[in-house]
Amino acid sequence: MKTKQKRSKTTIPRRPVRCQYCGAVAVLRPASEIYGDEKRTDMLYVCGHYPACNAYVAVHPGTLEPMGPLANGDLRHLRIRAHRTFDQIWQRRIMSRQSAYRWMADYFGLRVQDAHIGMFNEYRCQKLIEKSQEVLEQCGKAAS
Ligand SMILES: [Zn+2]
């Protein structure tokens, strides 16, 4: 049946979002609180045991859907590294940004719109770093 699921802004998702590290239910909190940055207006799912458990995840813009599983500090840093390595491919114009995302999506068997490093787990981040480095090494030996 069609229900009135979207009646309020404080909707709780159908299934509770749980922390993959400690199992606590995550709560929606303003990103500004977590980052200490008042300019942030987005929301995060933050582990109920935060800050003891330092895990959280962003929501898809305009929704209350988590981008993926909660990530702790290690995974977040890995994603940042993966992003930096991958971004060099298009920043150095080895591929256009669009082609680089297509290449990444193809490699992981994803649709381009699902190829978000922010959703990647450790394994995918490692793979992306490896693969991106191969591309960078093949194409940019003279650059560094
Ligand atoms: Zn946790």
PDB file of all heavy atoms in Angstrom, residues 23-54:
ATOM      1  N   GLY A  23      28.124  -1.931  15.826  1.00  0.00           N
ATOM      2  CA  GLY A  23      26.741  -2.397  15.816  1.00  0.00           C
ATOM      3  C   GLY A  23      25.726  -1.416  16.376  1.00  0.00           C
ATOM      4  O   GLY A  23      24.525  -1.693  16.344  1.00  0.00           O
ATOM      5  N   ALA A  24      26.173  -0.275  16.864  1.00  0.00           N
ATOM      6  CA  ALA A  24      25.237   0.708  17.409  1.00  0.00           C
ATOM      7  C   ALA A  24      24.386   1.293  16.286  1.00  0.00           C
ATOM      8  O   ALA A  24      24.810   1.330  15.133  1.00  0.00           O
ATOM      9  CB  ALA A  24      25.996   1.827  18.113  1.00  0.00           C
ATOM     10  N   VAL A  25      23.192   1.731  16.617  1.00  0.00           N
ATOM     11  CA  VAL A  25      22.337   2.394  15.636  1.00  0.00           C
ATOM     12  C   VAL A  25      22.890   3.799  15.415  1.00  0.00           C
ATOM     13  O   VAL A  25      23.227   4.502  16.371  1.00  0.00           O
ATOM     14  CB  VAL A  25      20.879   2.439  16.125  1.00  0.00           C
ATOM     15  CG1 VAL A  25      20.009   3.263  15.180  1.00  0.00           C
ATOM     16  CG2 VAL A  25      20.326   1.025  16.245  1.00  0.00           C
ATOM     17  N   ALA A  26      22.965   4.179  14.155  1.00  0.00           N
ATOM     18  CA  ALA A  26      23.476   5.513  13.825  1.00  0.00           C
ATOM     19  C   ALA A  26      22.357   6.534  13.922  1.00  0.00           C
ATOM     20  O   ALA A  26      21.202   6.225  13.666  1.00  0.00           O
ATOM     21  CB  ALA A  26      24.061   5.499  12.417  1.00  0.00           C
ATOM     22  N   VAL A  27      22.695   7.740  14.302  1.00  0.00           N
ATOM     23  CA  VAL A  27      21.713   8.817  14.390  1.00  0.00           C
ATOM     24  C   VAL A  27      22.074   9.913  13.407  1.00  0.00           C
ATOM     25  O   VAL A  27      23.246  10.139  13.112  1.00  0.00           O
ATOM     26  CB  VAL A  27      21.641   9.400  15.834  1.00  0.00           C
ATOM     27  CG1 VAL A  27      20.966   8.415  16.759  1.00  0.00           C
ATOM     28  CG2 VAL A  27      23.016   9.769  16.344  1.00  0.00           C
ATOM     29  N   LEU A  28      21.046  10.573  12.894  1.00  0.00           N
ATOM     30  CA  LEU A  28      21.279  11.673  11.963  1.00  0.00           C
ATOM     31  C   LEU A  28      21.704  12.899  12.745  1.00  0.00           C
ATOM     32  O   LEU A  28      21.013  13.314  13.677  1.00  0.00           O
ATOM     33  CB  LEU A  28      19.985  11.998  11.224  1.00  0.00           C
ATOM     34  CG  LEU A  28      19.764  11.402   9.849  1.00  0.00           C
ATOM     35  CD1 LEU A  28      18.408  11.824   9.331  1.00  0.00           C
ATOM     36  CD2 LEU A  28      20.858  11.781   8.865  1.00  0.00           C
ATOM     37  N   ARG A  29      22.821  13.451  12.365  1.00  0.00           N
ATOM     38  CA  ARG A  29      23.284  14.674  13.025  1.00  0.00           C
ATOM     39  C   ARG A  29      23.786  15.643  11.975  1.00  0.00           C
ATOM     40  O   ARG A  29      24.260  15.226  10.926  1.00  0.00           O
ATOM     41  CB  ARG A  29      24.409  14.341  14.011  1.00  0.00           C
ATOM     42  CG  ARG A  29      23.920  13.514  15.189  1.00  0.00           C
ATOM     43  CD  ARG A  29      25.056  13.079  16.069  1.00  0.00           C
ATOM     44  NE  ARG A  29      25.795  14.200  16.643  1.00  0.00           N
ATOM     45  CZ  ARG A  29      26.746  14.046  17.557  1.00  0.00           C
ATOM     46  NH1 ARG A  29      27.067  12.846  17.995  1.00  0.00           N
ATOM     47  NH2 ARG A  29      27.379  15.096  18.039  1.00  0.00           N
ATOM     48  N   PRO A  30      23.717  16.937  12.275  1.00  0.00           N
ATOM     49  CA  PRO A  30      24.233  17.895  11.297  1.00  0.00           C
ATOM     50  C   PRO A  30      25.741  17.734  11.129  1.00  0.00           C
ATOM     51  O   PRO A  30      26.469  17.574  12.114  1.00  0.00           O
ATOM     52  CB  PRO A  30      23.904  19.261  11.907  1.00  0.00           C
ATOM     53  CG  PRO A  30      23.191  19.015  13.175  1.00  0.00           C
ATOM     54  CD  PRO A  30      23.172  17.555  13.478  1.00  0.00           C
ATOM     55  N   ALA A  31      26.182  17.781   9.885  1.00  0.00           N
ATOM     56  CA  ALA A  31      27.615  17.653   9.608  1.00  0.00           C
ATOM     57  C   ALA A  31      28.404  18.769  10.277  1.00  0.00           C
ATOM     58  O   ALA A  31      29.547  18.581  10.675  1.00  0.00           O
ATOM     59  CB  ALA A  31      27.855  17.662   8.106  1.00  0.00           C
ATOM     60  N   SER A  32      27.761  19.925  10.430  1.00  0.00           N
ATOM     61  CA  SER A  32      28.459  21.056  11.038  1.00  0.00           C
ATOM     62  C   SER A  32      28.946  20.708  12.451  1.00  0.00           C
ATOM     63  O   SER A  32      30.016  21.132  12.869  1.00  0.00           O
ATOM     64  CB  SER A  32      27.527  22.267  11.092  1.00  0.00           C
ATOM     65  OG  SER A  32      26.334  21.932  11.768  1.00  0.00           O
ATOM     66  N   GLU A  33      28.143  19.888  13.155  1.00  0.00           N
ATOM     67  CA  GLU A  33      28.502  19.473  14.515  1.00  0.00           C
ATOM     68  C   GLU A  33      29.734  18.571  14.521  1.00  0.00           C
ATOM     69  O   GLU A  33      30.596  18.677  15.382  1.00  0.00           O
ATOM     70  CB  GLU A  33      27.351  18.635  15.065  1.00  0.00           C
ATOM     71  CG  GLU A  33      26.743  19.126  16.346  1.00  0.00           C
ATOM     72  CD  GLU A  33      25.523  18.260  16.679  1.00  0.00           C
ATOM     73  OE1 GLU A  33      25.694  17.046  16.892  1.00  0.00           O
ATOM     74  OE2 GLU A  33      24.402  18.820  16.698  1.00  0.00           O
ATOM     75  N   ILE A  34      29.765  17.655  13.563  1.00  0.00           N
ATOM     76  CA  ILE A  34      30.823  16.659  13.535  1.00  0.00           C
ATOM     77  C   ILE A  34      32.126  17.279  13.031  1.00  0.00           C
ATOM     78  O   ILE A  34      33.199  17.014  13.554  1.00  0.00           O
ATOM     79  CB  ILE A  34      30.425  15.466  12.630  1.00  0.00           C
ATOM     80  CG1 ILE A  34      29.074  14.884  13.068  1.00  0.00           C
ATOM     81  CG2 ILE A  34      31.506  14.393  12.606  1.00  0.00           C
ATOM     82  CD1 ILE A  34      29.031  14.381  14.493  1.00  0.00           C
ATOM     83  N   TYR A  35      32.018  18.109  12.012  1.00  0.00           N
ATOM     84  CA  TYR A  35      33.219  18.702  11.439  1.00  0.00           C
ATOM     85  C   TYR A  35      33.619  19.993  12.135  1.00  0.00           C
ATOM     86  O   TYR A  35      34.675  20.551  11.840  1.00  0.00           O
ATOM     87  CB  TYR A  35      33.009  19.000   9.955  1.00  0.00           C
ATOM     88  CG  TYR A  35      32.861  17.771   9.087  1.00  0.00           C
ATOM     89  CD1 TYR A  35      31.705  17.538   8.378  1.00  0.00           C
ATOM     90  CD2 TYR A  35      33.901  16.848   8.986  1.00  0.00           C
ATOM     91  CE1 TYR A  35      31.570  16.416   7.574  1.00  0.00           C
ATOM     92  CE2 TYR A  35      33.771  15.722   8.193  1.00  0.00           C
ATOM     93  CZ  TYR A  35      32.607  15.516   7.489  1.00  0.00           C
ATOM     94  OH  TYR A  35      32.476  14.408   6.699  1.00  0.00           O
ATOM     95  N   GLY A  36      32.743  20.514  13.021  1.00  0.00           N
ATOM     96  CA  GLY A  36      33.026  21.789  13.640  1.00  0.00           C
ATOM     97  C   GLY A  36      33.107  22.905  12.609  1.00  0.00           C
ATOM     98  O   GLY A  36      33.909  23.824  12.724  1.00  0.00           O
ATOM     99  N   ASP A  37      32.284  22.789  11.578  1.00  0.00           N
ATOM    100  CA  ASP A  37      32.327  23.751  10.479  1.00  0.00           C
ATOM    101  C   ASP A  37      30.903  24.235  10.226  1.00  0.00           C
ATOM    102  O   ASP A  37      30.066  23.511   9.709  1.00  0.00           O
ATOM    103  CB  ASP A  37      32.894  23.055   9.233  1.00  0.00           C
ATOM    104  CG  ASP A  37      32.884  23.966   8.014  1.00  0.00           C
ATOM    105  OD1 ASP A  37      32.387  25.112   8.098  1.00  0.00           O
ATOM    106  OD2 ASP A  37      33.373  23.516   6.961  1.00  0.00           O
ATOM    107  N   GLU A  38      30.635  25.473  10.611  1.00  0.00           N
ATOM    108  CA  GLU A  38      29.260  25.965  10.551  1.00  0.00           C
ATOM    109  C   GLU A  38      28.740  26.126   9.138  1.00  0.00           C
ATOM    110  O   GLU A  38      27.545  26.273   8.922  1.00  0.00           O
ATOM    111  CB  GLU A  38      29.145  27.293  11.303  1.00  0.00           C
ATOM    112  CG  GLU A  38      29.241  27.060  12.791  1.00  0.00           C
ATOM    113  CD  GLU A  38      29.194  28.343  13.583  1.00  0.00           C
ATOM    114  OE1 GLU A  38      28.898  29.400  13.001  1.00  0.00           O
ATOM    115  OE2 GLU A  38      29.472  28.260  14.788  1.00  0.00           O
ATOM    116  N   LYS A  39      29.643  26.116   8.172  1.00  0.00           N
ATOM    117  CA  LYS A  39      29.196  26.274   6.787  1.00  0.00           C
ATOM    118  C   LYS A  39      28.550  25.005   6.231  1.00  0.00           C
ATOM    119  O   LYS A  39      27.839  25.052   5.244  1.00  0.00           O
ATOM    120  CB  LYS A  39      30.374  26.683   5.897  1.00  0.00           C
ATOM    121  CG  LYS A  39      30.811  28.130   6.178  1.00  0.00           C
ATOM    122  CD  LYS A  39      31.758  28.655   5.110  1.00  0.00           C
ATOM    123  CE  LYS A  39      33.125  28.021   5.168  1.00  0.00           C
ATOM    124  NZ  LYS A  39      34.041  28.577   6.158  1.00  0.00           N
ATOM    125  N   ARG A  40      28.819  23.892   6.901  1.00  0.00           N
ATOM    126  CA  ARG A  40      28.218  22.639   6.423  1.00  0.00           C
ATOM    127  C   ARG A  40      26.732  22.637   6.744  1.00  0.00           C
ATOM    128  O   ARG A  40      26.341  22.908   7.869  1.00  0.00           O
ATOM    129  CB  ARG A  40      28.866  21.430   7.127  1.00  0.00           C
ATOM    130  CG  ARG A  40      30.341  21.298   6.920  1.00  0.00           C
ATOM    131  CD  ARG A  40      30.690  20.764   5.570  1.00  0.00           C
ATOM    132  NE  ARG A  40      30.092  19.472   5.305  1.00  0.00           N
ATOM    133  CZ  ARG A  40      30.766  18.405   4.859  1.00  0.00           C
ATOM    134  NH1 ARG A  40      32.059  18.482   4.670  1.00  0.00           N
ATOM    135  NH2 ARG A  40      30.147  17.282   4.594  1.00  0.00           N
ATOM    136  N   THR A  41      25.923  22.316   5.752  1.00  0.00           N
ATOM    137  CA  THR A  41      24.488  22.288   5.995  1.00  0.00           C
ATOM    138  C   THR A  41      23.924  20.886   5.799  1.00  0.00           C
ATOM    139  O   THR A  41      22.727  20.680   5.914  1.00  0.00           O
ATOM    140  CB  THR A  41      23.756  23.235   5.024  1.00  0.00           C
ATOM    141  OG1 THR A  41      24.141  22.882   3.692  1.00  0.00           O
ATOM    142  CG2 THR A  41      24.114  24.679   5.284  1.00  0.00           C
ATOM    143  N   ASP A  42      24.790  19.924   5.472  1.00  0.00           N
ATOM    144  CA  ASP A  42      24.307  18.574   5.209  1.00  0.00           C
ATOM    145  C   ASP A  42      24.218  17.753   6.492  1.00  0.00           C
ATOM    146  O   ASP A  42      24.615  18.204   7.564  1.00  0.00           O
ATOM    147  CB  ASP A  42      25.219  17.880   4.185  1.00  0.00           C
ATOM    148  CG  ASP A  42      26.690  17.988   4.554  1.00  0.00           C
ATOM    149  OD1 ASP A  42      27.096  19.047   5.081  1.00  0.00           O
ATOM    150  OD2 ASP A  42      27.433  17.028   4.336  1.00  0.00           O
ATOM    151  N   MET A  43      23.672  16.570   6.355  1.00  0.00           N
ATOM    152  CA  MET A  43      23.490  15.693   7.504  1.00  0.00           C
ATOM    153  C   MET A  43      24.365  14.449   7.353  1.00  0.00           C
ATOM    154  O   MET A  43      24.693  14.034   6.241  1.00  0.00           O
ATOM    155  CB  MET A  43      22.028  15.235   7.597  1.00  0.00           C
ATOM    156  CG  MET A  43      21.016  16.346   7.732  1.00  0.00           C
ATOM    157  SD  MET A  43      21.118  17.204   9.315  1.00  0.00           S
ATOM    158  CE  MET A  43      20.265  16.019  10.384  1.00  0.00           C
ATOM    159  N   LEU A  44      24.686  13.869   8.496  1.00  0.00           N
ATOM    160  CA  LEU A  44      25.473  12.634   8.497  1.00  0.00           C
ATOM    161  C   LEU A  44      24.777  11.608   9.387  1.00  0.00           C
ATOM    162  O   LEU A  44      24.112  11.975  10.354  1.00  0.00           O
ATOM    163  CB  LEU A  44      26.866  12.884   9.110  1.00  0.00           C
ATOM    164  CG  LEU A  44      27.784  13.921   8.488  1.00  0.00           C
ATOM    165  CD1 LEU A  44      29.022  14.080   9.376  1.00  0.00           C
ATOM    166  CD2 LEU A  44      28.199  13.493   7.089  1.00  0.00           C
ATOM    167  N   TYR A  45      24.944  10.354   9.045  1.00  0.00           N
ATOM    168  CA  TYR A  45      24.612   9.290   9.990  1.00  0.00           C
ATOM    169  C   TYR A  45      25.849   9.055  10.828  1.00  0.00           C
ATOM    170  O   TYR A  45      26.905   8.702  10.297  1.00  0.00           O
ATOM    171  CB  TYR A  45      24.229   7.999   9.269  1.00  0.00           C
ATOM    172  CG  TYR A  45      22.810   8.017   8.794  1.00  0.00           C
ATOM    173  CD1 TYR A  45      22.503   8.313   7.478  1.00  0.00           C
ATOM    174  CD2 TYR A  45      21.768   7.749   9.678  1.00  0.00           C
ATOM    175  CE1 TYR A  45      21.186   8.346   7.043  1.00  0.00           C
ATOM    176  CE2 TYR A  45      20.457   7.788   9.258  1.00  0.00           C
ATOM    177  CZ  TYR A  45      20.174   8.080   7.943  1.00  0.00           C
ATOM    178  OH  TYR A  45      18.877   8.123   7.525  1.00  0.00           O
ATOM    179  N   VAL A  46      25.683   9.262  12.121  1.00  0.00           N
ATOM    180  CA  VAL A  46      26.825   9.166  13.014  1.00  0.00           C
ATOM    181  C   VAL A  46      26.575   8.008  13.972  1.00  0.00           C
ATOM    182  O   VAL A  46      25.462   7.862  14.506  1.00  0.00           O
ATOM    183  CB  VAL A  46      26.998  10.485  13.801  1.00  0.00           C
ATOM    184  CG1 VAL A  46      28.208  10.414  14.713  1.00  0.00           C
ATOM    185  CG2 VAL A  46      27.119  11.656  12.838  1.00  0.00           C
ATOM    186  N   CYS A  47      27.594   7.202  14.196  1.00  0.00           N
ATOM    187  CA  CYS A  47      27.473   6.071  15.115  1.00  0.00           C
ATOM    188  C   CYS A  47      26.961   6.556  16.468  1.00  0.00           C
ATOM    189  O   CYS A  47      27.391   7.593  16.979  1.00  0.00           O
ATOM    190  CB  CYS A  47      28.839   5.414  15.286  1.00  0.00           C
ATOM    191  SG  CYS A  47      28.809   4.101  16.512  1.00  0.00           S
ATOM    192  N   GLY A  48      26.027   5.807  17.048  1.00  0.00           N
ATOM    193  CA  GLY A  48      25.480   6.142  18.354  1.00  0.00           C
ATOM    194  C   GLY A  48      26.544   6.195  19.447  1.00  0.00           C
ATOM    195  O   GLY A  48      26.327   6.792  20.496  1.00  0.00           O
ATOM    196  N   HIS A  49      27.683   5.560  19.193  1.00  0.00           N
ATOM    197  CA  HIS A  49      28.774   5.581  20.176  1.00  0.00           C
ATOM    198  C   HIS A  49      29.831   6.625  19.849  1.00  0.00           C
ATOM    199  O   HIS A  49      30.913   6.625  20.434  1.00  0.00           O
ATOM    200  CB  HIS A  49      29.429   4.198  20.274  1.00  0.00           C
ATOM    201  CG  HIS A  49      28.543   3.185  20.935  1.00  0.00           C
ATOM    202  ND1 HIS A  49      28.717   1.832  20.757  1.00  0.00           N
ATOM    203  CD2 HIS A  49      27.471   3.340  21.747  1.00  0.00           C
ATOM    204  CE1 HIS A  49      27.782   1.201  21.451  1.00  0.00           C
ATOM    205  NE2 HIS A  49      27.013   2.079  22.054  1.00  0.00           N
ATOM    206  N   TYR A  50      29.526   7.500  18.882  1.00  0.00           N
ATOM    207  CA  TYR A  50      30.463   8.581  18.571  1.00  0.00           C
ATOM    208  C   TYR A  50      30.614   9.465  19.804  1.00  0.00           C
ATOM    209  O   TYR A  50      29.618   9.693  20.490  1.00  0.00           O
ATOM    210  CB  TYR A  50      29.924   9.400  17.395  1.00  0.00           C
ATOM    211  CG  TYR A  50      30.807  10.547  16.970  1.00  0.00           C
ATOM    212  CD1 TYR A  50      31.829  10.355  16.044  1.00  0.00           C
ATOM    213  CD2 TYR A  50      30.614  11.811  17.516  1.00  0.00           C
ATOM    214  CE1 TYR A  50      32.641  11.409  15.655  1.00  0.00           C
ATOM    215  CE2 TYR A  50      31.433  12.862  17.133  1.00  0.00           C
ATOM    216  CZ  TYR A  50      32.432  12.656  16.209  1.00  0.00           C
ATOM    217  OH  TYR A  50      33.240  13.704  15.849  1.00  0.00           O
ATOM    218  N   PRO A  51      31.750  10.011  20.162  1.00  0.00           N
ATOM    219  CA  PRO A  51      33.026   9.919  19.434  1.00  0.00           C
ATOM    220  C   PRO A  51      33.884   8.711  19.809  1.00  0.00           C
ATOM    221  O   PRO A  51      34.946   8.541  19.224  1.00  0.00           O
ATOM    222  CB  PRO A  51      33.730  11.221  19.837  1.00  0.00           C
ATOM    223  CG  PRO A  51      33.223  11.514  21.212  1.00  0.00           C
ATOM    224  CD  PRO A  51      31.817  10.953  21.274  1.00  0.00           C
ATOM    225  N   ALA A  52      33.426   7.892  20.768  1.00  0.00           N
ATOM    226  CA  ALA A  52      34.230   6.705  21.112  1.00  0.00           C
ATOM    227  C   ALA A  52      34.429   5.865  19.858  1.00  0.00           C
ATOM    228  O   ALA A  52      35.524   5.363  19.595  1.00  0.00           O
ATOM    229  CB  ALA A  52      33.533   5.902  22.200  1.00  0.00           C
ATOM    230  N   CYS A  53      33.376   5.691  19.105  1.00  0.00           N
ATOM    231  CA  CYS A  53      33.473   5.025  17.808  1.00  0.00           C
ATOM    232  C   CYS A  53      33.365   6.108  16.745  1.00  0.00           C
ATOM    233  O   CYS A  53      32.338   6.762  16.615  1.00  0.00           O
ATOM    234  CB  CYS A  53      32.356   4.000  17.653  1.00  0.00           C
ATOM    235  SG  CYS A  53      32.399   3.180  16.056  1.00  0.00           S
ATOM    236  N   ASN A  54      34.429   6.312  16.025  1.00  0.00           N
ATOM    237  CA  ASN A  54      34.532   7.458  15.125  1.00  0.00           C
ATOM    238  C   ASN A  54      34.055   7.089  13.719  1.00  0.00           C
ATOM    239  O   ASN A  54      34.810   7.137  12.768  1.00  0.00           O
ATOM    240  CB  ASN A  54      36.002   7.894  15.122  1.00  0.00           C
ATOM    241  CG  ASN A  54      36.249   9.086  14.234  1.00  0.00           C
ATOM    242  OD1 ASN A  54      35.347   9.882  13.994  1.00  0.00           O
ATOM    243  ND2 ASN A  54      37.461   9.197  13.729  1.00  0.00           N
TER     244      ASN A  54
END
